[in-house]
Each structure stands twice: as structure tokens, then as C-alpha cells.
Amino acid sequence: MDHERVASGEARLRLAQVVPCTEAEGPGHRFAIWVQGCPLRCPGCCNPEMLPFEGGWETTVDELAKWAGRAAAEDGVEGITLLGGEPLAQAAGAAALARQVRTLGLSVMVFSGFTLEEIRASADPDALELLAHTDLLVDGPYLRDQPEPRRRWIGSSNQRIHALTDRYRVDDPRWSGQNTLELRLVGGELTVNGFPASSAVGLWRRPRDTRPSERS
Ligand code: SF4
């Protein structure tokens, strides 16, 4: 069956949360995007409110890419991080976004509950395109009985870091730094991101003014 690629401008993503500049979701300053919806059910998942596919809000890839571009210009953001929720469950939009932000010189990091082998074996054109535009992939389900003791930003020790381009190195010393937990008070609501965030998950709220449509 022919696969019709969705042009970036037409592609959409359903989101749970955006933090335009964070140091808690990968190397450097990153534009972090939590997608809404995940087909997996890892016991102990620290974002259970992001599992249903019907929640969150929808926006266009164009709008997100422009927002990330502004974050790069204004805050020195070096790349986007896609997490969630499950980015591969919205592979068409995620691939279009990754393709578009790379033209802006931004790097792409993806956290997925699927392994690299599972993603490749799916032979899904959108998933493969997302991989083709991904610099760093952290893969595998979260296993709460295998907490990660050393690597920064990683939830459990089964999860692997794949440097899919030469933009980052798996032996980058930043992977062994201290974990970061960030708290923000935005629009009267306290948000928490970073790891370990489960102790603060009850405080999690999506700040209304992080929606692109409400920033204009
Ligand atoms: S893959 Fe991630 S978002 Fe999905 S259930 Fe597992 S930990 Fe939660």
C-alpha cells in the first residue's frame, strides 16, 4: 500500500504538556513536548494522566516548530525532546515535526516505551521516518523494579540510549550528571518536570499559557 506522507504544515500532534526551555529532559537546553496518549501501561508510570488518547489538546506541527524556533533564538534551546505519552503512537506528526525542526538546526531526542528493534520491525513508514530524523533515542518500557542508578534523565536501567547520528555521544559526561527536577509557577499553577518526578506528580498541572494558541 502506498504511504502518503503528510506535509509538515498539515500534520498535527495531540499534546499533554510543553516546556519551552528545560535542562531536565536531555542534554543542553531543550524544548520538551509531552504527547498525549500511550498504548503501553508500565506499572509505576509517572505520567498516568498522559495515557488516554482523548485528553490534552491538539496543535499543528507548523505552530510547534515555530515555537521551538523562537525558544532556540531567545533561550538558546539546542533541540527538542519528544516524550509523553508515547511519541511513536503519533509517529506521523512526530516525524513531520522532527523533520521540520532539524531544518532549523535543532536536534531531536525521543523517549519511547518501544525498543529500537520493535520500532524498526514495525516497518511503519512514519515511525521509520521519525527514527531517520532522531539524534538520540531512549528506548524501552519503564520498569519500576529496575531504577536507573547512574544515568541522568533515564527512568530504569533496561532503557538504552541510542546515538543515531554523530551529534551526541553515548559516553557524553552529561549523562552521568545529577538528575534535575524543575518546578515552575506559571499562571498560578505549579508544574513539575524532570526525574524523579513521581514524588511530585500530584502537583502536576498543565499551565494554560504554555499552549501555543494562548501565547499569541
Ligand atoms: S511507555 Fe512511558 S508513558 Fe507509556 S506507560 Fe510506559 S512509562 Fe508511561
Side-chain angles (χ1 to χ4, degrees):
M1 183 170 68
D2 287 341
H3 176 75
E4 271 187 47
R5 178 147 298 133
V6 180
S8 296
E10 302 163 13
R12 304 180 72 81
L13 280 167
R14 180 161 287 279
L15 308 179
Q17 168 79 310
V18 174
V19 173
C21 182
T22 174
E23 295 179 65
E25 310 296 347
H29 292 85
R30 309 198 69 81
F31 186 90
I33 302 160
W34 286 260
V35 301
Q36 180 72 38
C38 178
L40 305 175
R41 291 294 181 272
C42 306
C45 170
C46 63
N47 291 330
E49 73 281 13
M50 298 182 189
L51 301 185
F53 284 96
E54 58 272 14
W57 80 97
E58 210 177 66
T59 190
T60 65
V61 160
D62 264 3
E63 193 161 17
L64 265 179
K66 283 181 197 154
W67 191 5
R70 286 198 301 274
E74 294 167 10
D75 301 320
V77 160
E78 70 179 56
I80 67 165
T81 296
L82 282 161
L83 62 171
E86 174 52 56
L88 270 295
Q90 299 187 54
L97 178 64
R99 185 171 68 236
Q100 196 161 324
V101 299
R102 273 183 144 201
T103 67
L104 304 175
L106 297 176
S107 63
V108 175
M109 180 176 186
V110 176
F111 284 84
S112 175
F114 297 107
T115 64
L116 178 60
E117 293 79 6
E118 288 171 331
I119 297 167
R120 285 180 171 151
S122 76
D124 175 73
D126 294 318
L128 297 180
E129 187 181 2
L130 176 57
L131 281 187
H133 295 294
T134 296
D135 299 289
L136 275 173
L137 172 71
V138 178
D139 76 346
Y142 171 64
L143 301 179
R144 68 178 166 193
D145 60 342
Q146 296 180 31
E148 170 57 48
R150 293 184 309 277
R151 295 172 302 169
R152 194 180 181 193
W153 307 306
I154 308 294
S156 56
S157 58
N158 62 298
Q159 294 171 320
R160 302 170 299 174
I161 305 163
H162 301 277
L164 301 179
T165 67
D166 57 10
R167 188 156 177 168
Y168 294 100
R169 295 165 56 102
V170 173
D171 61 359
D172 186 324
R174 288 179 291 182
W175 291 104
S176 54
Q178 289 289 310
N179 263 319
T180 309
L181 188 67
E182 296 179 357
L183 290 87
R184 290 180 178 77
L185 190 59
V186 182
E189 293 185 334
L190 185 64
T191 68
V192 183
N193 73 288
F195 190 87
S198 55
S199 61
V201 73
L203 300 175
W204 185 286
R205 296 286 185 279
R206 177 181 358 95
R208 277 191 284 275
D209 65 349
T210 62
R211 297 186 188 198
S213 59
E214 295 182 7
R215 288 168 55 91
S216 55

